[in-house]
Amino acid sequence: MAEKRGCGFDSLVRDCYRSGGYVFAPSPATLQDRHAITRIARLASNENPDPPSPRAIEMAVAALSQANRYPDEHVTGLVRALREYHGPYNFVVGVGMDGVIETILRTLVAAGDRVVVSTPTFSFYRLAAIGQGAEVREVLRRKDFSVDITRFLKEAQAAKVAFLCSPNNPTGTVTSCSEVEEILGAMEGVLFLDNAYVEFCYEDYRPLMKKYDNLIIGRTMSKAFSLAGLRVGYAFVPDWIVPCYSRAATPFSLNSVSAAAAIGALQDPAHVARARDRVFGLRKMVTERCRFPVTPSGANFVLVDVSPRTGREVSEELATKGVLVRSCESFPGLGDQYIRVSIGEEWEMELFISEINRL
Ligand code: PMP
């Protein structure tokens, strides 16, 4: 047996995991310790400020008492609840949409295959694709953050998988159904359309599933459904994906308590409607009253251009006032002059507006 070598194992670690990695939003605990602030506006992670639906909690508690058993490997109850909520589509589920993205890539992408992303966007597509040994191509969005379809297609035509986020994180930009169709019609590979924030816009992409069998639509229960801490994601998939996805997935990855909570949450659509109404109202308020330019958003957050200051400076300054927002400097393809601000409760947005307008 080898003797203990301390840090001498670096050469065993794959190149892609020697540095970099997912950038997490600042945590409220750090802020509490650093600035002794007790009431914090948590506007950095695009969560729903409402606790989960009582029905979700009730079902999760009931499931906990049977946690000595492994979950149902087919997640039958949740798939049935998804069909009741959305209609007769094919679904796969995962540990958050992050888990779905990872399993889809594991299912489809081998080392050297091309994966395309439309930047600036959610960072995990790239990270998960690199984990598969993919060749990642980033296609820059236009100045107004809309997708340059011609440039995107030039790269995506030969891709195994292309990712498109709508509404896009961190810009909030919505790509229309007709633009998505233009891409789908010209692609040989699969388009993964990330709809994490779709409940907060007016576009409905689900009908496209009936027309295209190279489309996957990712969804999450972390935002509109208030279940971020339970990690439930799912996707609308063409039928050919279902058996291969099951083979590639980690066994029993979605735990039984989370699956039960998700079923309960889907049975309370009024919860989502409340979140949607609040986001529509407060997003408009922030857009109108913020003295810095706000990018039009279809999500539960807005991107604010704080130039000539940097996103880092402004987010650090807001933190000292008890307002946590996300500096966007870590998003490739975006300048360093942006912050992303989640739409929280009314008092949080009032506090944000008064502090940012005072800068
Ligand atoms: N896609 C986008 C665009 C996101 O912003 C996020 C979460 N920040 C996810 C996917 C992952 O969501 P989940 O919490 O379901 O893993």
Side-chain angles (χ1 to χ4, degrees), residues 199-225:
E199 288 88 353
F200 308 111
C201 77
Y202 295 100
E203 208 76 20
D204 182 359
Y205 304 89
R206 290 173 297 185
L208 299 180
M209 290 307 305
K210 304 236 154 74
K211 281 174 74 177
Y212 297 92
D213 54 14
N214 61 340
L215 173 63
I216 296 176
I217 300 181
R219 294 274 193 123
T220 178
M221 308 283 298
S222 300
K223 314 293 175 185
F225 290 91

Side-chain angles (χ1 to χ4, degrees), residues 245-306:
Y245 182 95
S246 307
R247 284 178 212 125
T250 306
F252 304 118
S253 52
L254 185 64
N255 74 73
S256 49
V257 176
S258 295
I263 296 170
L266 288 163
Q267 290 170 356
D268 185 2
H271 179 93
V272 175
R274 266 195 308 279
R276 188 175 152 94
D277 288 350
R278 181 185 50 237
V279 167
F280 285 172
L282 293 174
R283 189 170 68 196
K284 184 164 181 285
M285 180 278 261
V286 170
T287 306
E288 285 168 1
R289 286 177 45 199
C290 182
R291 76 176 176 86
F292 293 94
V294 174
T295 304
S297 170
N300 66 342
F301 57 82
V302 287
L303 186 74
V304 182
D305 179 349
V306 293

Side-chain angles (χ1 to χ4, degrees), residues 25-34 37 40 42 47 324:
S27 82
T30 321
L31 193 61
Q32 266 158 347
D33 293 348
R34 207 180 294 156
I37 296 165
I40 293 167
R42 297 176 62 161
E47 297 149 337
L324 264 186

Side-chain angles (χ1 to χ4, degrees), residues 112-113 158 169 187 193 207 233 281:
D113 284 346
N169 180 6
M187 266 190 76
L193 179 67

